[in-house]
Amino acid sequence: MAQKAFASSADLDEKERTLEVLAEGVYALTAEGDPNVGAIEGEDFVVCFEALATPVVAGEWLAMLREHTDKPVRYLVLSHYHAVRVLGASAFDADVVVAHDNTRALVAERGAEDWESEFGRMPRLAKGADSVPGLTWPTLTFSDRLTIDLGGDRGDLVLEYCGRGHTEGDLVAWLPRQRILFAGDLVEAEAALYTGDAFHREWASSTLDRVAAYGAEQLVGGRGGVTRGRRAVDAAIAQTREFLTVMIREVSAVHGAGGTLKEAFDRTHAALAPGYGHWPIFEHCLPFDVSRLWDELSGVDRPVIWTAERDREVWDRLQD
């Protein structure tokens, strides 16, 4: 049997992009399981959430946004450091690029390796790769909470750190007045979780507890459609938690019994595929997910840096 194509290297079909108006001046762009982005209008400026993978792709999103508002982008908020979320930043010409303290440190520590790794895993997202001027560096960082006054009667946008999860620097953007949460990759709406840089046990417990505590009535996850209504939001958070919980249970069983990484991958795939195998990027993510969780259970607290070479080594090791 032929080996599966590496990661998402064979997924070259364009995805349909949909701009949705969630409330007055609040926008989300979803794309059939590709990375989501958002924007929030202030009185005389815009806050954009996430930057996409290249300035070319980000420019296409901005052209759609400009059909609704011509206000300048004052803040560009980055939920975490992954290349497909941040390398399009120069297209926004933002006055301030905001991220968590840990995200800035991660860019310094592993940003260049992540750039090469992610563009190799997902070449379709890297449209116009030569337009990327270099690594994206936040100009404003914080540790716990940062509030942006949107001006007039628009209320506040609250940026908060909920704990280690998808990475050690994920932040969320919360609109208390509209009860809308931009959760980044801490929550996925019927899209597979990438956990190759994760802290699984914290994510599945205290971090998601904090996300759930907002009581959001609309939620924009990292991938998948916009989730509307408290019941649907709670279900999306629960699905994310269940994905993590099943992984932890299955990998822990093999690890505790002295088994191999390949056995842990096969067992986890068998447990997750019936419910989640049809979700976007499931097959792509799982080898990297299991590898990171195996390391965590082996006492490796911080994720090993993914390089293009390590990506291929892990992929080849875990495929049949």
Side-chain angles (χ1 to χ4, degrees):
M1 181 182 295
Q3 190 179 63
K4 297 173 186 174
F6 172 67
S8 291
S9 61
D11 181 10
L12 302 176
D13 295 334
E14 289 293 323
K15 309 301 182 186
E16 183 178 354
R17 292 176 290 186
T18 303
L19 188 152
E20 300 181 56
V21 181
L22 310 185
E24 183 180 356
V26 183
Y27 311 96
L29 183 73
T30 62
E32 297 185 303
D34 273 1
N36 295 335
V37 291
I40 302 101
E41 286 189 55
E43 187 174 22
D44 56 3
F45 62 90
V46 172
V47 181
C48 285
F49 187 79
E50 310 285 41
L52 297 173
T54 72
V56 167
V57 179
E60 294 172 353
W61 149 233
L62 285 167
M64 298 175 71
L65 181 63
R66 289 308 179 208
E67 296 177 8
H68 296 266
T69 177
D70 62 359
K71 296 173 184 176
V73 178
R74 181 175 298 172
Y75 299 94
L76 173 61
V77 177
L78 305 175
S79 70
H80 62 286
Y81 79 96
H82 284 153
V84 296
R85 301 288 183 183
V86 306
L87 290 181
S90 62
F92 294 81
D93 195 26
D95 295 334
V96 182
V97 179
V98 186
H100 190 266
D101 292 338
N102 291 343
T103 291
R104 194 184 199 290
L106 288 163
V107 172
E109 179 187 50
R110 58 186 70 198
E113 292 86 350
D114 185 71
W115 180 352
E116 182 181 9
S117 167
E118 293 211 343
F119 279 26
R121 294 181 188 182
M122 296 174 278
R124 179 176 46 77
L125 298 185
K127 179 181 178 182
D130 59 356
S131 67
V132 179
L135 292 173
T136 297
W137 294 98
T139 60
L140 173 63
T141 65
F142 66 95
S143 59
D144 297 311
R145 177 185 174 108
L146 177 71
T147 299
I148 296 172
D149 181 354
L150 296 173
D153 61 355
R154 293 176 178 270
D156 292 332
L157 175 66
V158 180
L159 309 179
E160 286 194 300
Y161 180 63
C162 294
R164 300 195 300 184
H166 173 72
T167 71
E168 59 190 303
D170 300 274
L171 61 82
V172 301
W174 170 235
L175 288 162
R177 180 169 297 183
Q178 299 89 343
R179 305 202 67 77
I180 297 171
L181 184 69
F182 291 86
D185 280 320
L186 288 175
V187 180
E188 309 291 8
E190 297 190 358
L193 275 62
Y194 175 69
T195 73
D197 295 299
F199 298 80
H200 292 80
R201 290 167 290 190
E202 289 172 58
W203 186 1
S205 56
S206 57
T207 299
L208 281 179
D209 288 346
R210 289 191 62 182
V211 172
Y214 287 103
E217 294 176 3
Q218 294 188 77
L219 182 146
V220 182
R223 295 174 183 262
V226 176
T227 303
R228 292 183 169 84
R230 278 295 305 279
R231 182 175 297 180
V233 169
D234 289 346
I237 295 169
Q239 287 175 347
T240 300
R241 198 191 301 267
E242 176 68 8
F243 193 103
L244 293 165
T245 301
V246 171
M247 282 187 60
I248 293 167
R249 182 188 72 214
E250 300 301 328
V251 177
S252 294
V254 176
H255 190 276
T260 67
L261 176 62
K262 179 64 166 66
E263 290 169 344
F265 172 77
D266 290 342
R267 178 165 170 161
T268 305
H269 190 285
L272 287 173
Y276 304 101
H278 62 288
W279 285 9
I281 67 170
F282 174 81
E283 297 292 348
H284 167 164
C285 291
L286 200 62
F288 308 114
D289 295 355
V290 172
S291 179
R292 165 54 188 157
L293 180 51
W294 186 268
D295 282 351
E296 230 181 335
L297 295 170
S298 302
V300 180
D301 180 56
R302 300 190 66 244
V304 178
I305 296 174
W306 290 103
T307 64
E309 294 75 20
R310 182 170 178 246
D311 288 352
R312 292 280 182 171
E313 177 187 341
V314 168
W315 183 268
D316 291 344
R317 184 178 177 187
L318 296 184
Q319 299 304 325
D320 292 324

